[in-house]
Amino acid sequence: MSNTPIASVLFVCVHNAGRSQMAAGFLSHLAGEQVEVRSAGSLPAEQVNPAAVDAMKEVGIDISDSTPKVLTTDAVQASDYVITMGCGDACPVFPGKKYLDWELDDPAGKGVEAVRPIRDQIKTRIESLIADIRREDSSG
């Protein structure tokens, strides 16, 4: 099997501190090198939401070294899938990209107890996304 990723995914949320970071963590963990993973936001926060970091640690995924990044046109152009996280962030639109919007509660300002259900919803969506990517890759 080739080490070349079969797809690239960009997760976008305004602050790139919670939902998009958890999604990127899950996708990297579950898909490994099969999928290239990016995340960004239009107004990135200074750090990843500590409750999101703690919630992900509970499921064995460490996103504590992640840093919020600014959304660039290049990141969108380089991605096959662009997934906004229900945060109303605007992305440049390019032909041939798959755009999805996942409506998810915002974990900002919430404790880990409130972030867990959001984390679990993201995991379910990531598992479905991986299945879709693999199905598209095999149908060629």
Side-chain angles (χ1 to χ4, degrees), residues 67-108:
T67 55
K69 294 167 224 47
V70 70
L71 176 65
T72 65
T73 301
D74 289 345
V76 176
Q77 283 183 305
S79 301
D80 301 309
Y81 293 79
V82 179
I83 302 173
T84 54
M85 312 301 286
C87 43
D89 219 356
C91 290
V93 176
F94 296 98
K97 311 290 177 196
K98 290 195 177 199
Y99 291 87
L100 303 169
D101 184 49
W102 292 353
E103 285 290 332
L104 297 159
D105 289 338
D106 188 350

PDB file of all heavy atoms in Angstrom, residues 67-108:
ATOM      1  N   THR A  67      -1.979  23.827  17.663  1.00  0.00           N
ATOM      2  CA  THR A  67      -2.140  25.272  17.794  1.00  0.00           C
ATOM      3  C   THR A  67      -3.133  25.759  16.749  1.00  0.00           C
ATOM      4  O   THR A  67      -3.127  25.285  15.607  1.00  0.00           O
ATOM      5  CB  THR A  67      -0.805  26.020  17.590  1.00  0.00           C
ATOM      6  OG1 THR A  67      -0.249  25.638  16.340  1.00  0.00           O
ATOM      7  CG2 THR A  67       0.181  25.724  18.694  1.00  0.00           C
ATOM      8  N   PRO A  68      -4.008  26.683  17.131  1.00  0.00           N
ATOM      9  CA  PRO A  68      -4.933  27.260  16.157  1.00  0.00           C
ATOM     10  C   PRO A  68      -4.171  27.953  15.037  1.00  0.00           C
ATOM     11  O   PRO A  68      -3.150  28.604  15.269  1.00  0.00           O
ATOM     12  CB  PRO A  68      -5.736  28.256  17.000  1.00  0.00           C
ATOM     13  CG  PRO A  68      -5.673  27.690  18.392  1.00  0.00           C
ATOM     14  CD  PRO A  68      -4.283  27.126  18.499  1.00  0.00           C
ATOM     15  N   LYS A  69      -4.674  27.775  13.817  1.00  0.00           N
ATOM     16  CA  LYS A  69      -4.032  28.337  12.628  1.00  0.00           C
ATOM     17  C   LYS A  69      -5.036  29.180  11.844  1.00  0.00           C
ATOM     18  O   LYS A  69      -6.223  28.913  11.864  1.00  0.00           O
ATOM     19  CB  LYS A  69      -3.513  27.215  11.726  1.00  0.00           C
ATOM     20  CG  LYS A  69      -2.390  26.399  12.339  1.00  0.00           C
ATOM     21  CD  LYS A  69      -2.160  25.137  11.532  1.00  0.00           C
ATOM     22  CE  LYS A  69      -1.973  23.888  12.351  1.00  0.00           C
ATOM     23  NZ  LYS A  69      -2.865  23.597  13.415  1.00  0.00           N
ATOM     24  N   VAL A  70      -4.516  30.137  11.107  1.00  0.00           N
ATOM     25  CA  VAL A  70      -5.374  31.006  10.309  1.00  0.00           C
ATOM     26  C   VAL A  70      -5.760  30.291   9.005  1.00  0.00           C
ATOM     27  O   VAL A  70      -4.949  29.592   8.398  1.00  0.00           O
ATOM     28  CB  VAL A  70      -4.706  32.372  10.042  1.00  0.00           C
ATOM     29  CG1 VAL A  70      -3.525  32.259   9.096  1.00  0.00           C
ATOM     30  CG2 VAL A  70      -5.715  33.374   9.523  1.00  0.00           C
ATOM     31  N   LEU A  71      -6.999  30.469   8.615  1.00  0.00           N
ATOM     32  CA  LEU A  71      -7.513  29.891   7.373  1.00  0.00           C
ATOM     33  C   LEU A  71      -6.925  30.644   6.188  1.00  0.00           C
ATOM     34  O   LEU A  71      -6.978  31.870   6.135  1.00  0.00           O
ATOM     35  CB  LEU A  71      -9.043  30.001   7.352  1.00  0.00           C
ATOM     36  CG  LEU A  71      -9.744  29.523   6.091  1.00  0.00           C
ATOM     37  CD1 LEU A  71      -9.540  28.022   5.901  1.00  0.00           C
ATOM     38  CD2 LEU A  71     -11.230  29.861   6.163  1.00  0.00           C
ATOM     39  N   THR A  72      -6.364  29.874   5.251  1.00  0.00           N
ATOM     40  CA  THR A  72      -5.802  30.491   4.041  1.00  0.00           C
ATOM     41  C   THR A  72      -6.470  29.890   2.805  1.00  0.00           C
ATOM     42  O   THR A  72      -6.968  28.762   2.837  1.00  0.00           O
ATOM     43  CB  THR A  72      -4.280  30.250   3.937  1.00  0.00           C
ATOM     44  OG1 THR A  72      -4.048  28.845   3.774  1.00  0.00           O
ATOM     45  CG2 THR A  72      -3.542  30.773   5.160  1.00  0.00           C
ATOM     46  N   THR A  73      -6.452  30.650   1.740  1.00  0.00           N
ATOM     47  CA  THR A  73      -6.968  30.163   0.463  1.00  0.00           C
ATOM     48  C   THR A  73      -6.176  28.934   0.021  1.00  0.00           C
ATOM     49  O   THR A  73      -6.737  27.974  -0.500  1.00  0.00           O
ATOM     50  CB  THR A  73      -6.882  31.276  -0.596  1.00  0.00           C
ATOM     51  OG1 THR A  73      -7.644  32.396  -0.129  1.00  0.00           O
ATOM     52  CG2 THR A  73      -7.427  30.823  -1.932  1.00  0.00           C
ATOM     53  N   ASP A  74      -4.862  28.947   0.253  1.00  0.00           N
ATOM     54  CA  ASP A  74      -4.020  27.802  -0.126  1.00  0.00           C
ATOM     55  C   ASP A  74      -4.457  26.520   0.569  1.00  0.00           C
ATOM     56  O   ASP A  74      -4.465  25.447  -0.041  1.00  0.00           O
ATOM     57  CB  ASP A  74      -2.548  28.086   0.189  1.00  0.00           C
ATOM     58  CG  ASP A  74      -1.935  29.120  -0.735  1.00  0.00           C
ATOM     59  OD1 ASP A  74      -2.538  29.421  -1.789  1.00  0.00           O
ATOM     60  OD2 ASP A  74      -0.849  29.640  -0.402  1.00  0.00           O
ATOM     61  N   ALA A  75      -4.813  26.616   1.857  1.00  0.00           N
ATOM     62  CA  ALA A  75      -5.252  25.424   2.594  1.00  0.00           C
ATOM     63  C   ALA A  75      -6.531  24.854   1.992  1.00  0.00           C
ATOM     64  O   ALA A  75      -6.690  23.641   1.870  1.00  0.00           O
ATOM     65  CB  ALA A  75      -5.461  25.753   4.070  1.00  0.00           C
ATOM     66  N   VAL A  76      -7.440  25.730   1.584  1.00  0.00           N
ATOM     67  CA  VAL A  76      -8.684  25.273   0.955  1.00  0.00           C
ATOM     68  C   VAL A  76      -8.376  24.630  -0.396  1.00  0.00           C
ATOM     69  O   VAL A  76      -8.858  23.535  -0.704  1.00  0.00           O
ATOM     70  CB  VAL A  76      -9.695  26.431   0.801  1.00  0.00           C
ATOM     71  CG1 VAL A  76     -10.945  25.959   0.067  1.00  0.00           C
ATOM     72  CG2 VAL A  76     -10.064  27.010   2.164  1.00  0.00           C
ATOM     73  N   GLN A  77      -7.551  25.285  -1.192  1.00  0.00           N
ATOM     74  CA  GLN A  77      -7.210  24.758  -2.517  1.00  0.00           C
ATOM     75  C   GLN A  77      -6.523  23.399  -2.432  1.00  0.00           C
ATOM     76  O   GLN A  77      -6.700  22.558  -3.297  1.00  0.00           O
ATOM     77  CB  GLN A  77      -6.304  25.737  -3.274  1.00  0.00           C
ATOM     78  CG  GLN A  77      -7.053  26.912  -3.839  1.00  0.00           C
ATOM     79  CD  GLN A  77      -6.143  27.827  -4.634  1.00  0.00           C
ATOM     80  OE1 GLN A  77      -5.127  28.293  -4.146  1.00  0.00           O
ATOM     81  NE2 GLN A  77      -6.535  28.098  -5.868  1.00  0.00           N
ATOM     82  N   ALA A  78      -5.737  23.180  -1.382  1.00  0.00           N
ATOM     83  CA  ALA A  78      -4.974  21.940  -1.239  1.00  0.00           C
ATOM     84  C   ALA A  78      -5.808  20.794  -0.652  1.00  0.00           C
ATOM     85  O   ALA A  78      -5.307  19.685  -0.514  1.00  0.00           O
ATOM     86  CB  ALA A  78      -3.752  22.190  -0.362  1.00  0.00           C
ATOM     87  N   SER A  79      -7.057  21.041  -0.313  1.00  0.00           N
ATOM     88  CA  SER A  79      -7.887  20.037   0.349  1.00  0.00           C
ATOM     89  C   SER A  79      -8.954  19.483  -0.582  1.00  0.00           C
ATOM     90  O   SER A  79      -9.517  20.211  -1.400  1.00  0.00           O
ATOM     91  CB  SER A  79      -8.558  20.659   1.583  1.00  0.00           C
ATOM     92  OG  SER A  79      -7.570  21.136   2.474  1.00  0.00           O
ATOM     93  N   ASP A  80      -9.233  18.187  -0.436  1.00  0.00           N
ATOM     94  CA  ASP A  80     -10.313  17.550  -1.189  1.00  0.00           C
ATOM     95  C   ASP A  80     -11.659  17.778  -0.507  1.00  0.00           C
ATOM     96  O   ASP A  80     -12.688  17.920  -1.159  1.00  0.00           O
ATOM     97  CB  ASP A  80     -10.071  16.040  -1.299  1.00  0.00           C
ATOM     98  CG  ASP A  80      -8.760  15.727  -1.996  1.00  0.00           C
ATOM     99  OD1 ASP A  80      -8.532  16.276  -3.087  1.00  0.00           O
ATOM    100  OD2 ASP A  80      -7.955  14.941  -1.444  1.00  0.00           O
ATOM    101  N   TYR A  81     -11.642  17.785   0.831  1.00  0.00           N
ATOM    102  CA  TYR A  81     -12.846  17.984   1.643  1.00  0.00           C
ATOM    103  C   TYR A  81     -12.632  19.206   2.509  1.00  0.00           C
ATOM    104  O   TYR A  81     -11.575  19.356   3.129  1.00  0.00           O
ATOM    105  CB  TYR A  81     -13.088  16.792   2.574  1.00  0.00           C
ATOM    106  CG  TYR A  81     -13.442  15.507   1.878  1.00  0.00           C
ATOM    107  CD1 TYR A  81     -12.469  14.723   1.280  1.00  0.00           C
ATOM    108  CD2 TYR A  81     -14.762  15.063   1.834  1.00  0.00           C
ATOM    109  CE1 TYR A  81     -12.786  13.533   0.647  1.00  0.00           C
ATOM    110  CE2 TYR A  81     -15.087  13.867   1.202  1.00  0.00           C
ATOM    111  CZ  TYR A  81     -14.093  13.110   0.614  1.00  0.00           C
ATOM    112  OH  TYR A  81     -14.419  11.936  -0.011  1.00  0.00           O
ATOM    113  N   VAL A  82     -13.629  20.075   2.559  1.00  0.00           N
ATOM    114  CA  VAL A  82     -13.601  21.241   3.434  1.00  0.00           C
ATOM    115  C   VAL A  82     -14.836  21.136   4.321  1.00  0.00           C
ATOM    116  O   VAL A  82     -15.965  21.172   3.835  1.00  0.00           O
ATOM    117  CB  VAL A  82     -13.603  22.560   2.626  1.00  0.00           C
ATOM    118  CG1 VAL A  82     -13.597  23.760   3.567  1.00  0.00           C
ATOM    119  CG2 VAL A  82     -12.413  22.597   1.668  1.00  0.00           C
ATOM    120  N   ILE A  83     -14.591  20.985   5.620  1.00  0.00           N
ATOM    121  CA  ILE A  83     -15.697  20.745   6.557  1.00  0.00           C
ATOM    122  C   ILE A  83     -15.749  21.865   7.572  1.00  0.00           C
ATOM    123  O   ILE A  83     -14.818  22.058   8.361  1.00  0.00           O
ATOM    124  CB  ILE A  83     -15.517  19.381   7.257  1.00  0.00           C
ATOM    125  CG1 ILE A  83     -15.458  18.270   6.201  1.00  0.00           C
ATOM    126  CG2 ILE A  83     -16.651  19.149   8.259  1.00  0.00           C
ATOM    127  CD1 ILE A  83     -15.106  16.896   6.748  1.00  0.00           C
ATOM    128  N   THR A  84     -16.839  22.629   7.523  1.00  0.00           N
ATOM    129  CA  THR A  84     -17.071  23.655   8.533  1.00  0.00           C
ATOM    130  C   THR A  84     -17.837  22.998   9.675  1.00  0.00           C
ATOM    131  O   THR A  84     -18.555  22.019   9.492  1.00  0.00           O
ATOM    132  CB  THR A  84     -17.834  24.860   7.953  1.00  0.00           C
ATOM    133  OG1 THR A  84     -19.036  24.405   7.330  1.00  0.00           O
ATOM    134  CG2 THR A  84     -16.982  25.602   6.930  1.00  0.00           C
ATOM    135  N   MET A  85     -17.670  23.551  10.850  1.00  0.00           N
ATOM    136  CA  MET A  85     -18.156  22.899  12.056  1.00  0.00           C
ATOM    137  C   MET A  85     -19.405  23.566  12.648  1.00  0.00           C
ATOM    138  O   MET A  85     -19.549  23.665  13.858  1.00  0.00           O
ATOM    139  CB  MET A  85     -17.034  22.859  13.107  1.00  0.00           C
ATOM    140  CG  MET A  85     -15.690  22.355  12.578  1.00  0.00           C
ATOM    141  SD  MET A  85     -15.711  20.695  11.895  1.00  0.00           S
ATOM    142  CE  MET A  85     -15.808  19.715  13.348  1.00  0.00           C
ATOM    143  N   GLY A  86     -20.292  24.051  11.784  1.00  0.00           N
ATOM    144  CA  GLY A  86     -21.525  24.665  12.276  1.00  0.00           C
ATOM    145  C   GLY A  86     -21.295  26.015  12.915  1.00  0.00           C
ATOM    146  O   GLY A  86     -22.092  26.475  13.720  1.00  0.00           O
ATOM    147  N   CYS A  87     -20.193  26.656  12.554  1.00  0.00           N
ATOM    148  CA  CYS A  87     -19.842  27.915  13.205  1.00  0.00           C
ATOM    149  C   CYS A  87     -20.000  29.119  12.291  1.00  0.00           C
ATOM    150  O   CYS A  87     -19.586  30.215  12.627  1.00  0.00           O
ATOM    151  CB  CYS A  87     -18.420  27.835  13.756  1.00  0.00           C
ATOM    152  SG  CYS A  87     -17.263  27.062  12.655  1.00  0.00           S
ATOM    153  N   GLY A  88     -20.562  28.901  11.110  1.00  0.00           N
ATOM    154  CA  GLY A  88     -20.839  30.016  10.216  1.00  0.00           C
ATOM    155  C   GLY A  88     -19.615  30.628   9.584  1.00  0.00           C
ATOM    156  O   GLY A  88     -19.676  31.733   9.055  1.00  0.00           O
ATOM    157  N   ASP A  89     -18.477  29.945   9.648  1.00  0.00           N
ATOM    158  CA  ASP A  89     -17.266  30.479   9.037  1.00  0.00           C
ATOM    159  C   ASP A  89     -17.384  30.403   7.519  1.00  0.00           C
ATOM    160  O   ASP A  89     -17.916  29.444   6.974  1.00  0.00           O
ATOM    161  CB  ASP A  89     -16.038  29.694   9.506  1.00  0.00           C
ATOM    162  CG  ASP A  89     -14.839  30.592   9.744  1.00  0.00           C
ATOM    163  OD1 ASP A  89     -14.951  31.800   9.479  1.00  0.00           O
ATOM    164  OD2 ASP A  89     -13.809  30.085  10.202  1.00  0.00           O
ATOM    165  N   ALA A  90     -16.898  31.409   6.858  1.00  0.00           N
ATOM    166  CA  ALA A  90     -16.955  31.447   5.400  1.00  0.00           C
ATOM    167  C   ALA A  90     -15.641  30.939   4.829  1.00  0.00           C
ATOM    168  O   ALA A  90     -14.574  31.285   5.310  1.00  0.00           O
ATOM    169  CB  ALA A  90     -17.198  32.867   4.936  1.00  0.00           C
ATOM    170  N   CYS A  91     -15.745  30.114   3.810  1.00  0.00           N
ATOM    171  CA  CYS A  91     -14.564  29.575   3.134  1.00  0.00           C
ATOM    172  C   CYS A  91     -14.615  29.965   1.672  1.00  0.00           C
ATOM    173  O   CYS A  91     -15.689  30.015   1.090  1.00  0.00           O
ATOM    174  CB  CYS A  91     -14.562  28.045   3.182  1.00  0.00           C
ATOM    175  SG  CYS A  91     -14.285  27.377   4.786  1.00  0.00           S
ATOM    176  N   PRO A  92     -13.445  30.162   1.077  1.00  0.00           N
ATOM    177  CA  PRO A  92     -13.442  30.328  -0.369  1.00  0.00           C
ATOM    178  C   PRO A  92     -13.950  29.037  -1.021  1.00  0.00           C
ATOM    179  O   PRO A  92     -13.682  27.947  -0.513  1.00  0.00           O
ATOM    180  CB  PRO A  92     -11.973  30.559  -0.707  1.00  0.00           C
ATOM    181  CG  PRO A  92     -11.237  30.661   0.574  1.00  0.00           C
ATOM    182  CD  PRO A  92     -12.127  30.229   1.671  1.00  0.00           C
ATOM    183  N   VAL A  93     -14.687  29.168  -2.087  1.00  0.00           N
ATOM    184  CA  VAL A  93     -15.258  27.997  -2.754  1.00  0.00           C
ATOM    185  C   VAL A  93     -14.529  27.761  -4.072  1.00  0.00           C
ATOM    186  O   VAL A  93     -14.381  28.675  -4.874  1.00  0.00           O
ATOM    187  CB  VAL A  93     -16.767  28.185  -2.995  1.00  0.00           C
ATOM    188  CG1 VAL A  93     -17.338  27.019  -3.780  1.00  0.00           C
ATOM    189  CG2 VAL A  93     -17.499  28.357  -1.670  1.00  0.00           C
ATOM    190  N   PHE A  94     -14.066  26.523  -4.239  1.00  0.00           N
ATOM    191  CA  PHE A  94     -13.368  26.135  -5.460  1.00  0.00           C
ATOM    192  C   PHE A  94     -14.054  24.921  -6.060  1.00  0.00           C
ATOM    193  O   PHE A  94     -14.485  24.028  -5.332  1.00  0.00           O
ATOM    194  CB  PHE A  94     -11.900  25.795  -5.166  1.00  0.00           C
ATOM    195  CG  PHE A  94     -11.104  26.963  -4.671  1.00  0.00           C
ATOM    196  CD1 PHE A  94     -10.869  27.140  -3.320  1.00  0.00           C
ATOM    197  CD2 PHE A  94     -10.600  27.904  -5.555  1.00  0.00           C
ATOM    198  CE1 PHE A  94     -10.139  28.220  -2.848  1.00  0.00           C
ATOM    199  CE2 PHE A  94      -9.874  28.992  -5.098  1.00  0.00           C
ATOM    200  CZ  PHE A  94      -9.642  29.144  -3.747  1.00  0.00           C
ATOM    201  N   PRO A  95     -14.134  24.843  -7.375  1.00  0.00           N
ATOM    202  CA  PRO A  95     -14.740  23.675  -8.016  1.00  0.00           C
ATOM    203  C   PRO A  95     -13.957  22.414  -7.676  1.00  0.00           C
ATOM    204  O   PRO A  95     -12.746  22.451  -7.475  1.00  0.00           O
ATOM    205  CB  PRO A  95     -14.632  23.978  -9.514  1.00  0.00           C
ATOM    206  CG  PRO A  95     -14.240  25.401  -9.630  1.00  0.00           C
ATOM    207  CD  PRO A  95     -13.667  25.834  -8.326  1.00  0.00           C
ATOM    208  N   GLY A  96     -14.684  21.305  -7.585  1.00  0.00           N
ATOM    209  CA  GLY A  96     -14.048  20.014  -7.369  1.00  0.00           C
ATOM    210  C   GLY A  96     -13.799  19.658  -5.921  1.00  0.00           C
ATOM    211  O   GLY A  96     -13.328  18.564  -5.617  1.00  0.00           O
ATOM    212  N   LYS A  97     -14.108  20.557  -4.998  1.00  0.00           N
ATOM    213  CA  LYS A  97     -13.954  20.274  -3.564  1.00  0.00           C
ATOM    214  C   LYS A  97     -15.295  19.818  -3.016  1.00  0.00           C
ATOM    215  O   LYS A  97     -16.346  20.208  -3.518  1.00  0.00           O
ATOM    216  CB  LYS A  97     -13.510  21.521  -2.795  1.00  0.00           C
ATOM    217  CG  LYS A  97     -12.337  22.253  -3.388  1.00  0.00           C
ATOM    218  CD  LYS A  97     -11.067  21.472  -3.251  1.00  0.00           C
ATOM    219  CE  LYS A  97      -9.916  22.194  -3.933  1.00  0.00           C
ATOM    220  NZ  LYS A  97      -8.782  21.327  -4.140  1.00  0.00           N
ATOM    221  N   LYS A  98     -15.259  18.999  -1.987  1.00  0.00           N
ATOM    222  CA  LYS A  98     -16.488  18.610  -1.300  1.00  0.00           C
ATOM    223  C   LYS A  98     -16.609  19.476  -0.056  1.00  0.00           C
ATOM    224  O   LYS A  98     -15.712  19.483   0.788  1.00  0.00           O
ATOM    225  CB  LYS A  98     -16.443  17.141  -0.902  1.00  0.00           C
ATOM    226  CG  LYS A  98     -16.535  16.246  -2.085  1.00  0.00           C
ATOM    227  CD  LYS A  98     -16.850  14.843  -1.660  1.00  0.00           C
ATOM    228  CE  LYS A  98     -16.991  14.045  -2.940  1.00  0.00           C
ATOM    229  NZ  LYS A  98     -17.672  12.837  -2.787  1.00  0.00           N
ATOM    230  N   TYR A  99     -17.701  20.201   0.028  1.00  0.00           N
ATOM    231  CA  TYR A  99     -17.949  21.068   1.171  1.00  0.00           C
ATOM    232  C   TYR A  99     -19.041  20.463   2.029  1.00  0.00           C
ATOM    233  O   TYR A  99     -20.112  20.111   1.527  1.00  0.00           O
ATOM    234  CB  TYR A  99     -18.364  22.470   0.703  1.00  0.00           C
ATOM    235  CG  TYR A  99     -17.231  23.221   0.043  1.00  0.00           C
ATOM    236  CD1 TYR A  99     -16.979  23.078  -1.317  1.00  0.00           C
ATOM    237  CD2 TYR A  99     -16.401  24.052   0.784  1.00  0.00           C
ATOM    238  CE1 TYR A  99     -15.928  23.752  -1.924  1.00  0.00           C
ATOM    239  CE2 TYR A  99     -15.351  24.728   0.181  1.00  0.00           C
ATOM    240  CZ  TYR A  99     -15.118  24.569  -1.168  1.00  0.00           C
ATOM    241  OH  TYR A  99     -14.075  25.239  -1.763  1.00  0.00           O
ATOM    242  N   LEU A 100     -18.762  20.326   3.321  1.00  0.00           N
ATOM    243  CA  LEU A 100     -19.735  19.805   4.274  1.00  0.00           C
ATOM    244  C   LEU A 100     -19.811  20.770   5.445  1.00  0.00           C
ATOM    245  O   LEU A 100     -18.816  21.404   5.806  1.00  0.00           O
ATOM    246  CB  LEU A 100     -19.294  18.426   4.791  1.00  0.00           C
ATOM    247  CG  LEU A 100     -19.059  17.333   3.753  1.00  0.00           C
ATOM    248  CD1 LEU A 100     -18.383  16.133   4.401  1.00  0.00           C
ATOM    249  CD2 LEU A 100     -20.366  16.926   3.114  1.00  0.00           C
ATOM    250  N   ASP A 101     -20.994  20.867   6.047  1.00  0.00           N
ATOM    251  CA  ASP A 101     -21.132  21.652   7.276  1.00  0.00           C
ATOM    252  C   ASP A 101     -21.700  20.740   8.341  1.00  0.00           C
ATOM    253  O   ASP A 101     -22.788  20.196   8.175  1.00  0.00           O
ATOM    254  CB  ASP A 101     -22.043  22.871   7.064  1.00  0.00           C
ATOM    255  CG  ASP A 101     -22.090  23.738   8.318  1.00  0.00           C
ATOM    256  OD1 ASP A 101     -21.010  24.064   8.865  1.00  0.00           O
ATOM    257  OD2 ASP A 101     -23.193  24.078   8.767  1.00  0.00           O
ATOM    258  N   TRP A 102     -20.937  20.546   9.394  1.00  0.00           N
ATOM    259  CA  TRP A 102     -21.372  19.715  10.513  1.00  0.00           C
ATOM    260  C   TRP A 102     -21.888  20.632  11.613  1.00  0.00           C
ATOM    261  O   TRP A 102     -21.111  21.359  12.236  1.00  0.00           O
ATOM    262  CB  TRP A 102     -20.218  18.874  11.044  1.00  0.00           C
ATOM    263  CG  TRP A 102     -19.740  17.807  10.094  1.00  0.00           C
ATOM    264  CD1 TRP A 102     -20.294  17.438   8.905  1.00  0.00           C
ATOM    265  CD2 TRP A 102     -18.596  16.967  10.275  1.00  0.00           C
ATOM    266  NE1 TRP A 102     -19.569  16.420   8.341  1.00  0.00           N
ATOM    267  CE2 TRP A 102     -18.520  16.108   9.159  1.00  0.00           C
ATOM    268  CE3 TRP A 102     -17.635  16.855  11.272  1.00  0.00           C
ATOM    269  CZ2 TRP A 102     -17.520  15.152   9.021  1.00  0.00           C
ATOM    270  CZ3 TRP A 102     -16.635  15.909  11.133  1.00  0.00           C
ATOM    271  CH2 TRP A 102     -16.584  15.060  10.013  1.00  0.00           C
ATOM    272  N   GLU A 103     -23.196  20.611  11.839  1.00  0.00           N
ATOM    273  CA  GLU A 103     -23.795  21.414  12.906  1.00  0.00           C
ATOM    274  C   GLU A 103     -23.456  20.776  14.246  1.00  0.00           C
ATOM    275  O   GLU A 103     -23.913  19.680  14.554  1.00  0.00           O
ATOM    276  CB  GLU A 103     -25.320  21.476  12.734  1.00  0.00           C
ATOM    277  CG  GLU A 103     -25.777  22.396  11.623  1.00  0.00           C
ATOM    278  CD  GLU A 103     -25.559  23.869  11.939  1.00  0.00           C
ATOM    279  OE1 GLU A 103     -25.552  24.257  13.118  1.00  0.00           O
ATOM    280  OE2 GLU A 103     -25.399  24.631  10.977  1.00  0.00           O
ATOM    281  N   LEU A 104     -22.612  21.458  15.015  1.00  0.00           N
ATOM    282  CA  LEU A 104     -22.180  20.960  16.317  1.00  0.00           C
ATOM    283  C   LEU A 104     -22.205  22.101  17.317  1.00  0.00           C
ATOM    284  O   LEU A 104     -21.886  23.247  16.968  1.00  0.00           O
ATOM    285  CB  LEU A 104     -20.750  20.410  16.232  1.00  0.00           C
ATOM    286  CG  LEU A 104     -20.540  19.206  15.320  1.00  0.00           C
ATOM    287  CD1 LEU A 104     -19.080  19.080  14.931  1.00  0.00           C
ATOM    288  CD2 LEU A 104     -21.028  17.938  16.012  1.00  0.00           C
ATOM    289  N   ASP A 105     -22.548  21.798  18.562  1.00  0.00           N
ATOM    290  CA  ASP A 105     -22.517  22.819  19.599  1.00  0.00           C
ATOM    291  C   ASP A 105     -21.094  23.335  19.780  1.00  0.00           C
ATOM    292  O   ASP A 105     -20.126  22.603  19.584  1.00  0.00           O
ATOM    293  CB  ASP A 105     -23.014  22.249  20.933  1.00  0.00           C
ATOM    294  CG  ASP A 105     -24.504  21.972  20.925  1.00  0.00           C
ATOM    295  OD1 ASP A 105     -25.227  22.581  20.105  1.00  0.00           O
ATOM    296  OD2 ASP A 105     -24.947  21.131  21.730  1.00  0.00           O
ATOM    297  N   ASP A 106     -20.990  24.586  20.187  1.00  0.00           N
ATOM    298  CA  ASP A 106     -19.686  25.205  20.413  1.00  0.00           C
ATOM    299  C   ASP A 106     -19.208  24.859  21.825  1.00  0.00           C
ATOM    300  O   ASP A 106     -19.901  25.135  22.802  1.00  0.00           O
ATOM    301  CB  ASP A 106     -19.826  26.722  20.259  1.00  0.00           C
ATOM    302  CG  ASP A 106     -18.497  27.443  20.291  1.00  0.00           C
ATOM    303  OD1 ASP A 106     -17.464  26.819  20.609  1.00  0.00           O
ATOM    304  OD2 ASP A 106     -18.491  28.654  19.996  1.00  0.00           O
ATOM    305  N   PRO A 107     -18.022  24.262  21.952  1.00  0.00           N
ATOM    306  CA  PRO A 107     -17.515  23.917  23.280  1.00  0.00           C
ATOM    307  C   PRO A 107     -16.887  25.093  24.036  1.00  0.00           C
ATOM    308  O   PRO A 107     -16.509  24.945  25.195  1.00  0.00           O
ATOM    309  CB  PRO A 107     -16.459  22.842  22.981  1.00  0.00           C
ATOM    310  CG  PRO A 107     -15.979  23.160  21.614  1.00  0.00           C
ATOM    311  CD  PRO A 107     -17.182  23.734  20.885  1.00  0.00           C
ATOM    312  N   ALA A 108     -16.799  26.257  23.412  1.00  0.00           N
ATOM    313  CA  ALA A 108     -16.152  27.408  24.048  1.00  0.00           C
ATOM    314  C   ALA A 108     -16.806  27.733  25.386  1.00  0.00           C
ATOM    315  O   ALA A 108     -18.026  27.820  25.494  1.00  0.00           O
ATOM    316  CB  ALA A 108     -16.206  28.624  23.129  1.00  0.00           C
TER     317      ALA A 108
END
